[in-house]
């Protein structure tokens, strides 16, 4: 990984957020924030994860990030895996094909407090009788055009 030196001192400039990464879980794996560690498994804004078993993706210490940090995780594999906080408490479990958005709401300790939102959950359908209006009517459960 390339590092850059701060022009006002001799410290390395921390890396920016990683946008996307593909991950294969073959064991319980601790992840790290890219601005804290550049050599280990890094969390990205968007992660496609394939697990070879029921493993844990261990989130980085929450007290090393600011609240509002958001991570989108997509289970692209055929195995279910869990996302756990830094104290090994389960945040969510992702079944194959599930996509979760995790965001940090409390960073007062390493475990933190995370919220999760599931993408594509549930189904929706339109009821034609609720959609009728000016120029439209319901005929046999379907919308039909009317001339007024």
């Amino acid at each position: 990984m390339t590092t850059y030196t701060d022009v006002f001192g001799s410290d390395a400039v921390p890396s920016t957020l990683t946008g996307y990464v593909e991950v294969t879980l073959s064991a319980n794996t601790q992840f790290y924030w890219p601005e804290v560690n550049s050599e280990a498994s890094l969390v990205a804004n968007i992660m496609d994860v394939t697990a070879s078993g029921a493993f844990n993706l261990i989130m980085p210490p929450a007290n090393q990030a600011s609240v509002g940090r958001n991570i989108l995780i997509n289970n692209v594999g055929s195995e279910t895996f869990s996302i756990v906080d830094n104290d090994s408490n389960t945040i969510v479990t992702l079944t194959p094909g599930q996509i979760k958005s995790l965001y940090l709401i409390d960073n007062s300790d390493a475990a933190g407090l995370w919220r999760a939102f599931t993408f594509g959950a549930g189904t929706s359908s339109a009821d034609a009788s609720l959609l009728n209006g000016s120029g439209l009517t319901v005929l046999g459960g379907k919308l039909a055009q009317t001339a007024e």
Side-chain angles (χ1 to χ4, degrees):
M1 173 174 237
T2 304
T3 58
Y4 300 95
T5 304
D6 183 352
V7 296
F8 299 107
S10 60
D11 295 330
V13 176
S15 63
T16 60
L17 299 177
T18 305
Y20 170 78
V21 68
E22 291 180 62
V23 174
T24 300
L25 291 179
S26 55
N28 293 338
T29 306
Q30 172 70 55
F31 280 77
Y32 298 91
W33 302 113
E35 58 270 27
V36 175
N37 187 330
S38 63
E39 303 301 321
S41 299
L42 302 179
V43 167
N45 290 343
I46 301 170
M47 300 174 66
D48 281 341
V49 179
T50 303
S52 60
F55 298 115
N56 292 336
L57 187 154
I58 305 165
M59 294 300 289
N63 56 0
Q64 294 178 350
S66 58
V67 293
R69 190 69 174 264
N70 187 349
I71 301 162
L72 184 71
I73 301 176
N74 182 8
N75 184 350
V76 296
S78 59
E79 297 285 338
T80 297
F81 67 90
S82 295
I83 300 170
V84 300
D85 65 25
N86 210 253
D87 285 344
S88 297
N89 302 306
T90 301
I91 301 169
V92 293
T93 300
L94 270 79
T95 58
Q98 266 193 325
I99 303 172
K100 299 271 187 180
S101 176
L102 301 171
Y103 57 98
L104 183 61
I105 62 168
D106 181 357
N107 63 352
S108 59
D109 61 16
L113 184 56
W114 297 87
R115 294 261 167 86
F117 173 80
T118 305
F119 280 78
T123 60
S124 66
S125 61
D127 182 348
S129 66
L130 298 174
L131 299 173
N132 68 343
S134 180
L136 295 174
T137 189
V138 178
L139 185 62
K142 297 182 181 177
L143 285 176
Q145 187 176 15
T146 60
E148 294 182 22

